[in-house]
Every structure is written in structure tokens, then in C-alpha cells.
Amino acid sequence: MASEWPDTPLGEVCEVNPDKRDSSWSHELVEYIDITSVGSGVTNEPPKLIPLHEAPSRAQRLVRPGDTIVSTVRPNRRSFLYLREPAANTVVSTGFAVLRAKKGLQPRFLFYLVSDQAFTDYLVSHEKGSAYPAVNANVFSVAEVSLPPLAEQRAIAAVLGALDDRIELNRKSARVLEGIARSVFTSWFVDFDPVRYNIKREGEERAYERMGRAARFGSFGEDISIIDKDGRSRPLRSEDIHRHVAHLFPNRFVDSPIGEVPDGWRVTRIQEVCDLGRGSSPRPIHDYMGGTVPWIKIADATSAGGRFIYETKEFVTERGATKSVWVNPGDLILSNSATCGVPIFVGLRGCIHDGWLHFRDLRGISRGYLFHLLATISEHLVHIADGSVQKNLNTALVGDQMLTIPPSRILAAFDLLNDSIFGKVDKTIQQSRNLAALRDALLPKLIAGELRIADAEKIVGRTV
């Protein structure tokens, strides 16, 4: 099969960097995609919506639906993305090569062609510069690729696309689940909705007693209804209030050093409820690289695209690990440099770079509660981070942050719900990792023509 496919310079069937923003571009707002926001076929964060006059000078390349973007800087990091439906005002960094399929090349097949590890190896072999290795656009144009007939391109893209579509669906599902957990945390521990609900309910009970009417409240888990003197029933609606846990919460607020808090809740500092430390990097680091111990860096959190780190791009030796800080699955860490203030859970045993803070020996709070707390104050942490050129946090800054501690019964109820949600998130991510591994195994074989489409379809059909 592959031997029958002609080798073709990619530039003959693909435009490289076809459009550039100029003075005639009419949009006042830019959806900007930078290299740091793109992983291997996924987005680590949505495009930044910024006014055109505030856009960085590198926000130049224009894209269309079906384009593929590939980072020309440090190609070994494998930052690339298929743009299914970019907004009309999307602009990408000049650090990307924009590839647009011409007649005879199926757009999504083009994406898989350049996302194959073999193509990455080709780019790495042509990079220039040691401190800032990169390739120029011509490297894409002259690349020789084996090009199957268009019908076979479509079939290959459909097989691999089915896996990627499922992975993307899982990513969206995980984000929705994380959003639900975050909303519950905000409702219970930031807005104190159940307390306000209790206050409102008590006030309405008294009001109806004064009016000579009967008030009947539903039992646990049921809607509350009011029955007037004529026997008519009407519901009491209280959006975004978790009525089924209201009985766990008090019905009044009290003053505290940080303002009103629910009665019976404790106010303290993070450093009082856990042991806070910082990661460590063996020096000189190059003497300890290339081992087998996972080396967790900030870039691993960026490429994870979620709230769990399951793999790393770099590894240190066992000797290097003795000079670092070990973490275990389930540990909570917080970025303290570069993109600082981002909490994330560790999904593997390894060592953390000194760009991380870690939290151990939690007292009176849970990891889930602390995670959501840190996520809630993330912007505040960025604001207080010191350093004029590069933002940095430290254990003193984070440890000094105030927090409220609810009674154990409320924390237990939250943990039960949060652990269930994050358990589903973890399961979804693990499924996506398996799907990605299958895709990565099938991709080179399909691109090289070593695997029949029908056989690949059967494998994918049993999985998706």
C-alpha cells in the first residue's frame, strides 16, 4: 500500500502561512492563540479575547476552519492543533506555522500527517539555535510526505478523528463536572447560600405565623411548599440553593476578622491547617536528567489541560530525586512561578520542580476543600505574587492567606459530593489517556499504509 503512494513535497498540496493580519483587517477584538495555550492536539486554555490595540506584535497569522497550526519553536514539545471552527477574529502567534490544505489533500489528514512522531523528528532534525531552537516555514514546504489517494485520506482521518472526537467530548465532560464541583464550593463556602436559605426560611415561617397561616415544609430532599388558608399550595423557589443540606448549616452570621461568616465556623490561616513546603531542583540539573523518576514541571500542568497530572515530559535520576521533593498520587501542589497560583492534583509518584509548592499533613480540612479554596483565590494569589519580571509566590505569602473552616459534618458532606465528582473526572481522563494511546499506536501505521482501514475501524469500533 504505502509503496504505491507517491512521495510529495508538502508545499505542493499545502499552503504555509497563507494569511497575515494587515491594516484592512476589520475586527477590533482578537481571539489570540499563543504557543503556551496549545498542547499536542489540545488547547490548554481558551483563546485570549483582547482588544486589537493591546494584542502582542506576534499576533499576526490568520486562520480558517480546517487549518492546522504547528509550533515552529522547540518542535520537540509537539505543540499542534487542528482548528475545526475558529472564530472569524482568531489570530495565532507567529511562533506557529499555519498549514492549509489545497486540492488533493484532506484537511484533517494533513493534521495527522504533521502530528505523527516521524514528522516531529523531521522538524527537530532541521531546527536551528541552541538557546531557542526553531525551524523556518520552508522546512514544512520541502518536507517529503507519502500521500495516499483522497478517499483513503478521508478514511484515515475518519478513523483517527473518531478517537479524537471522543477524547474532546471527554475533556468537555470533565470540565463540566469540575464546574459543578466548583459551583457547589462557591455556593456553600463563598456565598454561604445554605445559611442565607435558612435565614430566609425562618423569616418566612415567622411571617406566616403572624399572618395566621399554616406553613408546611417538605421533608429532607423535597421542595418546600406553602399552603395558605384556602388550602392552595405554592412552591418556594430558591435557585442555586442546596436545600438538601440546609439542615447542616446554621441560620445566622457572626462577625469575624474577614467579615461575616456562618455561626460556628472557624477563621484561620492556611499555614495553621497544613504543612506548606516548596519543591526543589537538583543543581546543576543537567547532571541529573535522563533518569526514570518523573520530574514534574509547570509545563506538565499546562499540557495536562486539567486538574490532574498523570505524566511528565522529563525524568531525573534516582540520585537527582534524593535532592528534590517527592510527591505521591493524590497530593495537592500549587504553581509558584511562571503561571502561578494554579492548584493541581498529582496522579503519579515523582519529584516536583522548585516552581511548585506542596501541602501536607492537612488538619481540619480536606484536599478537595483546599483545592477549591486555592482555585477560588487564584487571581488574588497572582496579584500578590512578588517579582517585577516574573511573578513568584512563596510559602509565606500563601500560608498567610485567611480561610474559613466549616464544622466537620459540613466538610464531610462536601467531600462526599466532591470526591464522587472528581472520581468521575479521573475515570474520564483515564479513558481519554487510553484512547490517545490507541490513536498514537494506530496513527503511524495508517499514515505509512501498514494497517488496513477496515482493521483499524474494527479496533476503534470496539473502543469508542
Side-chain angles (χ1 to χ4, degrees):
M1 294 169 61
S3 59
E4 301 173 0
W5 298 346
D7 286 338
T8 306
L10 188 59
E12 291 187 8
V13 291
C14 168
E15 296 179 89
V16 181
N17 298 331
D19 294 323
K20 184 179 180 180
R21 181 171 61 81
D22 57 26
S23 58
S24 65
W25 202 63
S26 60
H27 300 280
E28 296 182 358
L29 290 175
V30 172
E31 290 204 15
Y32 176 55
I33 300 178
D34 201 357
I35 293 176
T36 57
S37 64
V38 173
S40 298
V42 298
T43 53
N44 302 321
E45 58 186 43
K48 300 183 177 89
L49 185 63
I50 52 179
L52 179 59
H53 68 274
E54 295 181 8
S57 59
R58 59 185 179 274
Q60 295 289 335
R61 304 207 192 284
L62 303 183
V63 291
R64 297 178 186 173
D67 285 352
T68 290
I69 56 175
V70 183
S71 173
T72 59
V73 180
R74 294 186 175 89
N76 64 304
R77 293 186 175 179
R78 291 174 53 79
S79 297
F80 43 74
L81 186 67
Y82 177 72
L83 300 175
R84 188 193 300 268
E85 295 178 344
N89 63 335
T90 300
V91 179
V92 305
S93 169
T94 52
F96 288 111
V98 178
L99 309 180
R100 184 172 298 161
K102 297 194 290 191
K103 185 177 181 180
L105 182 60
Q106 204 275 340
R108 200 164 188 182
F109 178 80
L110 167 61
F111 166 72
Y112 289 117
L113 202 61
V114 299
S115 63
D116 185 16
Q117 182 63 48
F119 195 88
T120 299
D121 295 340
Y122 162 78
L123 294 178
V124 171
S125 69
H126 286 78
E127 65 184 21
K128 295 181 179 180
S130 55
Y132 198 70
V135 297
N136 59 48
N138 186 57
V139 169
F140 291 88
S141 298
V142 301
E144 293 282 336
V145 295
S146 185
L147 203 62
L150 194 56
E152 193 133 9
Q153 293 178 34
R154 293 194 186 97
I156 292 173
V159 170
L160 298 174
L163 293 170
D164 274 333
D165 289 347
R166 182 56 182 269
I167 291 172
E168 180 60 22
L169 180 62
N170 282 352
R171 282 170 59 84
K172 291 179 179 178
S173 297
R175 286 174 179 170
V176 169
L177 288 169
E178 289 178 8
I180 292 172
R182 184 168 56 253
S183 295
V184 173
F185 179 87
T186 301
S187 176
W188 292 14
F189 306 118
V190 178
D191 298 332
F192 306 125
D193 284 337
V195 180
R196 301 184 191 283
Y197 173 77
N198 284 341
I199 294 172
K200 178 182 177 182
R201 182 177 67 173
E202 184 176 85
E204 294 196 359
E205 282 182 308
R206 290 175 180 173
Y208 275 90
E209 287 174 1
R210 289 195 300 268
M211 295 171 64
R213 298 179 180 179
R216 180 170 64 84
F217 288 86
S219 60
F220 182 84
E222 297 178 353
D223 289 336
I224 297 173
S225 60
I226 295 297
I227 301 177
D228 63 22
K229 61 182 180 180
D230 297 321
R232 291 190 297 249
S233 175
R234 66 175 179 84
L236 272 181
R237 297 182 180 88
S238 188
E239 287 78 13
D240 302 321
I241 302 296
H242 300 272
R243 289 189 292 268
H244 59 288
V245 297
H247 70 289
L248 299 174
F249 289 75
N251 59 2
R252 72 187 188 106
F253 291 101
V254 296
D255 291 331
S256 81
I258 60 173
E260 285 192 334
V261 300
D263 186 20
W265 291 32
R266 184 163 59 98
V267 176
T268 186
R269 288 180 169 81
I270 289 179
Q271 63 192 13
E272 300 298 328
V273 295
C274 68
D275 294 337
L276 181 57
R278 183 176 179 176
S280 177
S281 299
R283 300 285 193 262
I285 185 63
H286 56 76
D287 288 348
Y288 302 100
M289 298 304 295
T292 59
V293 179
W295 178 234
I296 303 173
K297 302 178 70 176
I298 303 297
D300 296 312
T302 304
S303 61
R307 297 301 190 182
F308 298 85
I309 292 179
Y310 292 100
E311 56 189 3
T312 63
K313 294 181 179 180
E314 298 181 11
F315 297 82
V316 294
T317 62
E318 291 283 349
R319 183 163 172 262
T322 63
K323 302 175 181 292
S324 185
V325 174
W326 283 91
V327 289
N328 296 303
D331 282 356
L332 177 63
I333 56 179
L334 179 80
S335 58
N336 69 61
S337 63
T339 306
C340 59
V342 178
I344 198 162
F345 287 107
V346 176
L348 74 167
R349 177 167 166 76
C351 292
I352 53 173
H353 182 267
D354 52 16
W356 293 105
L357 302 181
H358 60 83
F359 305 83
R360 291 179 177 161
D361 190 23
L362 273 59
R363 301 175 289 275
I365 60 172
S366 62
R367 290 172 180 171
Y369 182 87
L370 182 56
F371 166 83
H372 287 290
L373 171 74
L374 293 170
T376 299
I377 65 172
S378 178
E379 291 187 8
H380 171 67
L381 293 175
V382 172
H383 178 71
I384 65 173
D386 56 13
S388 57
V389 178
Q390 179 171 297
K391 295 288 186 180
N392 285 282
L393 287 168
N394 56 50
T395 55
L397 282 172
V398 176
D400 199 44
Q401 299 308 300
M402 303 291 288
L403 75 161
T404 57
I405 306 295
S408 59
R409 64 182 185 279
I410 297 176
L411 186 62
F414 174 74
D415 285 341
L416 184 64
L417 177 61
N418 186 71
D419 291 349
S420 174
I421 291 174
F422 270 69
K424 293 177 182 177
V425 171
D426 180 69
K427 184 177 180 180
T428 299
I429 294 175
Q430 294 290 11
Q431 183 189 56
S432 291
R433 295 183 70 216
N434 293 335
L435 292 172
L438 175 59
R439 177 204 59 207
D440 294 343
L442 295 178
L443 192 155
K445 294 181 180 298
L446 288 169
I447 294 293
E450 298 174 358
L451 179 66
R452 294 182 179 276
I453 298 296
D455 293 335
E457 289 175 337
K458 290 179 182 177
I459 295 172
V460 173
R462 290 194 298 265
T463 306
V464 176

